Amino acid sequence: MQYHLAIDIGTSQGRHILGHVEDGRMVLEEVYRFENRQVRRRGHDCWNLEALWESILAGMRACYRLGKIPSTLGIDTWAVDFVLLDRDGGLIGDAVAYRDKRTQGMRELLEEDVPFDWLYSRTGIQYQPFNTIYQLAALTQERPEELDRAAHFLMLPEYFNYLLTGIIRNEYTNATSTALVNARTRTWDEEVLIRMGLPFDLFGPLSMPGTILGGLTESIQARVGYNCQVILPATHDTGSAFLAVPARDDEAVFLSSDTWSLLGVELHKAITTPESQAENFTNEGGAWRRFRFLKNIMGLWMVECIYRELNGISYVEGERRSRTAGTDQNLWTFEALAEAAREAADFPSTVDVNDHSFLAPESMFQAIRDFCEKTGQQPPETVGETMQCIYHSLALCYADAVECLSRLTGKRFTSINIVGGGSQDVYLNEMTARATGLTVYAGPVEGVAIGNLLVQMMVTGDYSSLWEARNAIGESFDIQEIAP
């Protein structure tokens, strides 16, 4: 039996999922799960690369202990964050996390040389304060010597691929999130790099999903107990998630629902019009030279923050917050939070979930109360009211995004296909169906890992086409239908 391994690393946890094909159906097995927590270094919130690397190896060793050796593996992570390597392949500086505040004011700083209207017309990437281009601008201001020493720019999955194989390679789907890739040529945009003052040779040629990097280095083989081929999936997790949407028709909206909600469609050509820019839609590169034309919505990050705040868990490693005053000392579950929202269904207030005040607040409870008070609405007083406010606001944001998507693409949509962890949230799915007036198809849950595996399986011949693979996904996993 031929096994494939998806190493899917999210901003709060990662997982190793083995996949194989039986009678045309995709079969999954989770073999390892680990936590991803930030650390505070040199005044910034950073990713703990050392801990992530050891977790990657631990999960690979778990496959060996099970006697299920993968023939291939692929790594995906979130977008925008990166590292720099020197000429000897050594790591320079820290992997600063996108929620760090170092990018504040960077758009205004760049506006004269890199005006956003001009940048969007070339790259098609929406404005987010944490976009890689603004992170690089912040690094130029704070630690220019690190850029002077750098010989290679790598997104995080590319860095881990380098540690596994010794091969330095940039991958297309994740690179597009930097706002440094031209949406028409699908290569690094030299004019943008010139205006940023960044050297061309820092950025390597872009490889498409499905590229075979090669086998593990001898030292890694000794540590995990086997060799396998490392294949590039869509290393941007949203790119993998969109691949996992089961085949149905061309009138479906895709929604990858997790920490972020990414709502959009697949296109063969980017839309970089002023109207698209005004609605803050983005054109992320996808597998097989497609584009994911989508809206980036705050998503279940707000729910995660409430969960952590209630249970006294900090997002930064080594810190713990006291529990919210007046709440039950028993641990809250996500299911309990959803039920509390359902019980407070009549609570009327809503917030703009994409407001920057919700990006990294000290207290999400307080941020929501402050927003409601500032906008003349009733502030929530209970956990249930707070959760209802979040869910109601998300559903309305989804509905608005679908309406904008229809207007910008000229398409009329009949359904929303939700993949990822958020597809399990029945109450939010029900509210989304009602708010949009569209039928919701929820599942599969492990959308990112499935999309990762799908590319590997197509490379090795388990599936002959994307259409065949997507049909197999629809046959392999439970998809819930929710009427509006």
Side-chain angles (χ1 to χ4, degrees):
M1 185 172 293
Q2 182 171 236
Y3 291 101
H4 309 279
L5 178 62
I7 304 176
D8 170 31
I9 308 176
T11 56
S12 59
Q13 61 182 343
R15 60 202 63 77
H16 291 59
I17 295 181
L18 280 171
H20 68 275
V21 177
E22 288 184 12
D23 299 323
R25 295 173 180 257
M26 190 183 296
V27 180
L28 306 184
E29 178 184 0
E30 182 179 302
V31 297
Y32 192 75
R33 185 175 287 260
F34 57 94
E35 191 173 53
N36 182 12
R37 300 282 290 279
Q38 295 175 10
V39 292
R40 191 77 178 168
R41 291 176 178 166
R42 298 195 295 174
H44 294 292
D45 292 332
C46 303
W47 300 110
N48 189 339
L49 295 183
E50 299 84 1
L52 288 175
W53 173 236
E54 291 302 321
S55 295
I56 288 172
L57 295 179
M60 293 173 68
R61 288 192 294 270
C63 297
Y64 178 80
R65 289 193 299 272
L66 288 171
K68 298 179 178 180
I69 308 302
S71 61
T72 66
L73 72 79
I75 300 177
D76 65 74
T77 73
W78 62 99
V80 305
D81 290 340
F82 64 93
V83 296
L84 300 174
L85 304 184
D86 61 26
R87 296 191 182 279
D88 297 323
L91 185 65
I92 299 174
D94 303 306
V96 178
Y98 67 89
R99 292 188 189 277
D100 184 81
K101 300 184 185 301
R102 68 172 175 169
T103 57
Q104 289 182 349
M106 288 301 109
R107 176 175 177 174
E108 293 75 17
L109 181 71
L110 290 182
E111 194 62 25
E112 182 175 348
D113 294 324
V114 191
F116 183 71
D117 291 355
W118 175 84
L119 182 67
Y120 185 88
S121 71
R122 298 177 71 88
T123 68
I125 298 300
Q126 71 178 132
Y127 171 72
Q128 293 283 7
F130 47 71
N131 283 349
T132 313
I133 191 170
Y134 301 123
Q135 294 197 45
L136 286 166
L139 186 62
T140 300
Q141 294 294 305
E142 184 180 10
R143 298 193 175 102
E145 70 281 359
E146 293 186 1
L147 277 167
D148 291 341
R149 291 173 50 206
H152 304 285
F153 167 95
L154 294 179
M155 309 294 279
L156 296 191
E158 299 162 356
Y159 174 63
F160 295 129
N161 286 336
Y162 163 65
L163 295 181
L164 288 173
T165 67
I167 296 171
I168 292 174
R169 191 72 61 85
N170 293 121
E171 187 270 329
Y172 169 70
T173 68
N174 222 335
T176 62
S177 74
T178 64
L180 299 172
V181 173
N182 188 287
R184 289 159 188 82
T185 66
R186 295 177 172 86
T187 59
W188 300 108
D189 192 311
E190 291 189 2
E191 182 63 29
V192 174
L193 296 180
I194 289 171
R195 294 195 183 195
M196 285 292 295
L198 297 171
F200 299 158
D201 58 2
L202 190 61
F203 304 89
L206 297 179
S207 296
M208 289 291 172
T211 299
I212 301 174
L213 292 185
L216 306 176
T217 65
E218 290 185 1
S219 63
I220 298 302
Q221 291 180 46
R223 294 191 66 178
V224 302
Y226 57 87
N227 191 16
C228 67
Q229 292 293 305
V230 177
I231 294 177
L232 293 180
T235 65
H236 182 183
D237 52 10
T238 309
S240 283
F242 267 46
L243 290 175
V245 174
R248 187 166 290 108
D249 54 46
D250 293 329
E251 299 176 336
V253 174
F254 294 3
L255 174 56
S256 175
S257 178
D258 217 301
T259 300
W260 288 91
S261 290
L262 297 311
L263 186 151
V265 293
E266 287 184 328
L267 299 176
H268 292 284
K269 184 179 179 181
I271 300 177
T272 60
T273 61
E275 292 78 14
S276 173
Q277 177 192 328
E279 296 292 352
N280 213 27
F281 270 73
T282 200
N283 297 268
E284 296 176 349
W288 297 285
R289 303 178 69 82
R290 298 169 180 234
F291 287 96
R292 299 186 309 281
F293 185 63
L294 56 83
K295 184 86 166 183
N296 197 328
I297 299 166
M298 192 72 77
L300 298 181
W301 162 250
M302 299 177 74
V303 177
E304 291 177 19
C305 286
I306 295 297
Y307 169 83
R308 289 175 179 272
E309 197 167 340
L310 285 170
N311 293 321
I313 305 170
S314 172
Y315 197 67
V316 179
E317 190 172 273
E319 296 180 6
R320 289 191 68 82
R321 294 174 177 161
S322 60
R323 298 179 192 275
T324 302
T327 61
D328 195 323
Q329 293 298 302
N330 295 324
L331 291 179
W332 283 79
T333 64
F334 288 111
E335 292 78 10
L337 290 174
E339 185 57 32
R342 192 185 292 273
E343 292 173 359
D346 292 335
F347 185 73
S349 300
T350 61
V351 299
D352 176 3
V353 295
N354 292 317
D355 190 86
H356 291 168
S357 63
F358 303 126
L359 186 61
E362 286 296 316
S363 166
M364 186 63 73
F365 276 103
Q366 191 60 48
I368 291 170
R369 291 190 190 107
D370 290 346
F371 189 96
C372 290
E373 290 176 351
K374 184 176 65 176
T375 53
Q377 300 179 85
Q378 176 185 343
E381 298 296 337
T382 67
V383 172
E385 289 177 351
T386 302
M387 290 301 302
Q388 175 62 20
C389 180
I390 293 173
Y391 279 150
H392 189 190
S393 301
L394 277 173
L396 291 178
C397 189
Y398 295 161
D400 180 66
V402 170
E403 182 181 338
C404 289
L405 189 64
S406 180
R407 186 170 65 252
L408 292 170
T409 62
K411 293 185 177 183
R412 179 178 176 274
F413 301 107
T414 59
S415 64
I416 300 180
N417 293 253
I418 304 178
V419 297
S423 68
Q424 301 175 96
D425 197 319
V426 176
Y427 184 53
L428 179 57
N429 294 340
E430 292 171 356
M431 294 192 71
T432 299
R434 287 198 297 270
T436 62
L438 302 178
T439 300
V440 165
Y441 295 95
V445 175
E446 294 289 357
V448 177
I450 291 169
N452 182 327
L453 290 167
L454 181 151
V455 173
Q456 297 180 53
M457 291 172 174
M458 288 182 63
V459 169
T460 57
D462 289 295
Y463 297 117
S464 61
S465 68
L466 178 59
W467 181 256
E468 180 188 11
R470 278 180 161 164
N471 273 321
I473 291 170
E475 295 295 325
S476 303
F477 303 101
D478 184 31
I479 311 296
Q480 299 294 319
E481 181 177 346
I482 301 169

